[in-house]
Amino acid sequence: MSADRDGRPGHAVTIAALAVVVFLQVPVLVVVLAAFSTTSYLTIPPQGLTLAWFGKVLGDPTYLSALRMSLILACGSTALSLILGVTAAYALFRRSVPGAEAITAVLMAPLVVPAVVVGVALLQYFSLTGLRGSFVGLLMAHVVITVPYVVRSALASLAGLDLAVEEAARVLGATGFEAFRLVTLPLITPGLVAGGLFAFITSLDNVPVTIFLISASQTTLPVLIFSSVEMGIDPGVAAVSTILIVATGIVLLLAERRFGFHRFV
Amino acid sequence: MSALVFEGLGKSYGETTVVREVSLTIGEGEFVSLLGPSGCGKTTILRMVAGLVEPTRGRILLGRDDITRLPPNRRGLGLVFQSYALFPHLTVYENVAFGLRRRKVGGAELDRRVSEALAMVRLSGFGDRHPRQLSGGQQQRVAIARAIAPRPRVLLFDEPLSNLDAQLRDEMQIELKRLQRELGITTLFVTHDQGEALSMSDRVGVMARGVMQQFATPEEIYHRPATAFVASFIGKPNRLAGRVAFRAGAGGRVAVGSIELAAARIDEASGAAIEIVIRQEAIGLRPGGGAEDAVGGTIVLRSFSGARVQYVVRLADGIELVAETPSHGALAALEPGAGVALDIAPEAVLVMPVEGAAA
């Protein structure tokens, strides 16, 4: 690695870094460009320029109901993950539970276990318990795969906290819950925003677990895109993807502006 | 009138006893320090008073109320932490207002009492700042204002000055003492700094290994230490092993090797092995030496530290003592090799049982 005296990277490093960024972002660019093509198949560079594909997918009830399903699922699982993940991380952090490290490992396991394995396992389990094909089952599955992100960011935020701050609040007259709500929670919020966003995005684009568990009548957007591609790709899929990319970008930008969460990623 | 009473207060973690049966009574408005090396249990006592650590044994009384099992938020105390523990997401104003808001103080009354508390620590006009915009000394003052604003029944300090540099620490000592006098709040101050404890307190409790060694006025602690630990922990001690030569009335003479010294108070029997503690600052030096009644020696090392000069003096039998004098005048300019006579008052020869022989 070459670096000059100011500790700034040399030209070679800068060029290498740029090359990696371009390589990673090109597919995104390809999808966005393809969404504007007038042809009925994906092509780069796009032939002509049209918003027709956006109109088509936004007017298609199949896409709209899949989008609604995905959003409900992502919002629901993120909210549940935040509640469960933050309370779990808080208890683990304060060491008020025996076997804290083992519990942490179990909570983080879905990050390590291949998603297909999680999907198959849950399918078996839901078949046995009669939850197969139900919305509740799907929601639980998404909580399982999103909760590690919340637990991880909450634990990291709590670790940077001076324990005395909460004690100070207690001595000043705050109950345990008030001390958490008025002092600890505001201090870990940026980390929770980061964890919540990860959870939301993870739920929103999950295919490998979801595809095992959905019923014929309910499908999510990424599963719908996945099956559309199998049947033959058209720029409509690119248009849906573009909408998702832009929406995600806007949310990330707003969150960064408001909470500066990049420190927790 | 007693403000705070410990009755057989103790704390153990499993087999390890951190605080052993401490009983003492602190008067209304009194400034009491708990002094001792780290790990002696002084902070544990403070945290038990605050309600942050649950005692294993004994009771804590606040006035007439038993507060031993009360949660911290219902004790009405003020605590200043070593790390300050300010709320970083709140302004200075909201930090100070926190305790008042929990007591349902609002509106103009809240404003008035926050301003009053900030004025007391000379931080008027800093209300809109955030803690990170303040210096260490200013953060310390905010922590004090936050603790005193709700008018606590007792103020607790956990090594509050140890994060400040030396000059600021001296300033804050005086300021804290003045503030405590003005407010008349009963104060428990935990520190490992004997200078702090002696200069600020009405009474000092010296602790070692979870045991309260002595609880007395700073003068008594310094001049009449109750245990060998106190004698050697306070001041700058010379510690010598010796024995009681003979007793006469309350005092007598003690022997260290072939040297005999008069001691004002001896509790041990004639011939008993003892530990002798003589403070560096209690040894007078006379150049030349050789007088009949005085101990003579030779200077082997001189060390200048600003206001004071320290000499290592070698006596007969290779015994060495450190003596300290002010750094001006003829006595400050003695060179190694010079002969001196030592003047040691009988009151300055502290005779203690051998460490470990008695508690």
Side-chain angles (χ1 to χ4, degrees), chain B residues 3 14 62 124 130 150 186 207 223 282 301 338 357:
Chain B
L62 184 61
S124 299
H130 273 84
T186 310
M207 293 193 65
H223 291 299
L301 198 69

Side-chain angles (χ1 to χ4, degrees), chain A residues 162 164-176 178-179 181-184 186-187, chain B residues 47 50 52 71-73 77-79 81 83 85-89 98-99 102-103 146 150:
Chain A
D162 180 4
V165 172
E166 201 172 285
E167 291 177 345
R170 296 276 280 134
V171 174
L172 284 166
T175 62
E178 276 178 324
R181 184 172 61 83
L182 296 169
V183 176
T184 310
L187 291 176
Chain B
R47 291 174 66 81
L52 299 171
N73 51 311
L77 308 178
L79 172 52
F81 289 82
S83 64
L86 297 177
F87 307 131
H89 60 302
F98 193 92
R102 302 283 82 69
R103 286 164 179 74
R146 184 177 68 175

Side-chain angles (χ1 to χ4, degrees), chain B residues 271-294:
Chain B
I274 49 166
E275 181 168 336
I276 299 160
V277 175
I278 306 169
R279 300 233 166 79
Q280 296 176 16
E281 59 272 28
I283 301 175
L285 292 179
R286 263 181 294 139
E292 283 282 299
D293 57 333

